[in-house]
Amino acid sequence: MTAASRAIGALGAFMAAAALAGDREGCCDAAPAAPAAPSWEFTATAYPTVVRGGGDYTSAVVVAQRAALHLEARVNYESVGARSAFVGWTFGGGEEITWELTPLLGGAWGTTKAFVPGLEASVGWRKFDLYVEAEYVRPREESSRYLYAWSELGYRPVEWLRFGLAAQRTHAYGAERDILRGPFAQLSWRRITLGGFWFNPGSKEQVFVASIGAAF
């Protein structure tokens, strides 16, 4: 082998070693990709309500969720003409039995002026689920304070259909019964959910509540 051949061979070996070292350096020193920031999720639901022997109205709830942070605004919820807003934090877990809990703090103004702590909770097992939504409305007048609650026991045989039993206690409209109860059904298509709740069916105090919701 000539001197020129030996020089070319040595130069090639040096370049290969340098390339390998560069690859190792890039592998070891590369910064890990930053985790994607959680995105906002929004839902808006309107509840047209038909009250036998009373005034019909529509309430609405808008929710903004980012990771565990929960923001919520309501209209005609505590009473007709009331407005309310809440901030909360969501906890959850479970595998076969899943659960989610969101404590809320907020306030109402308009026809109802009050400090309003609340809670939203759900439990799921296979095709069954239980949802409870409650708040304690605390205006300055003690005689006007009350506990509002809405609960659903649902069954979902297929992804787009959910039905079951619902109950509520509310001061949004006058009723002699303390607890109203009845069946409900919901249909989902992509990001749209339509539902109907029939409280006190067949009685003089029956109430029908429709629900029209969208997620985006």
Side-chain angles (χ1 to χ4, degrees):
M1 179 181 292
T2 65
S5 298
R6 288 195 298 270
I8 292 173
L11 179 60
F14 174 78
M15 293 177 65
L20 180 61
D23 290 343
R24 288 178 177 173
E25 183 177 356
C27 172
C28 299
D29 295 343
S39 59
W40 284 98
E41 298 178 355
F42 301 91
T43 58
T45 308
Y47 297 93
T49 301
V50 179
V51 183
R52 171 177 282 186
D56 302 340
Y57 69 97
T58 298
S59 60
V61 177
V62 177
V63 175
Q65 186 94 21
R66 185 177 187 184
L69 177 63
H70 181 101
L71 304 177
E72 190 164 331
R74 303 171 180 174
V75 177
N76 293 341
Y77 191 90
E78 289 73 23
S79 62
V80 176
R83 308 289 186 268
S84 55
F86 299 84
V87 60
W89 199 261
T90 300
F91 306 88
E95 294 183 2
E96 181 162 354
I97 299 177
T98 60
W99 62 273
E100 194 169 273
L101 188 68
T102 306
L104 300 169
L105 286 178
W109 63 96
T111 53
T112 297
K113 300 178 178 64
F115 169 66
V116 187
L119 176 69
E120 297 176 1
S122 62
V123 178
W125 177 71
R126 296 184 179 178
K127 297 183 178 183
F128 293 91
D129 66 86
L130 174 65
Y131 173 76
V132 177
E133 180 179 306
E135 63 179 31
Y136 183 55
V137 181
R138 296 190 59 190
R140 292 183 179 180
E141 305 81 8
E142 290 192 16
S143 59
S144 301
R145 297 178 181 179
Y146 70 95
L147 175 67
Y148 169 83
W150 175 292
S151 59
E152 302 171 9
L153 176 60
Y155 177 70
R156 192 184 296 273
V158 290
E159 187 64 26
W160 54 269
L161 174 63
R162 178 175 177 260
F163 61 88
L165 297 174
Q168 71 163 329
R169 183 176 190 268
T170 181
H171 280 190
Y173 47 84
E176 294 180 4
R177 300 189 185 186
D178 196 32
I179 303 295
L180 291 77
R181 57 184 66 85
F184 78 89
Q186 293 175 317
L187 301 174
S188 300
W189 179 72
R190 296 185 179 179
R191 294 180 174 268
I192 304 297
T193 300
L194 303 177
F197 301 79
W198 189 12
F199 295 106
N200 299 343
S203 77
K204 64 179 181 179
E205 298 172 350
Q206 69 179 350
V207 177
F208 181 78
V209 181
S211 64
I212 308 168
F216 50 94

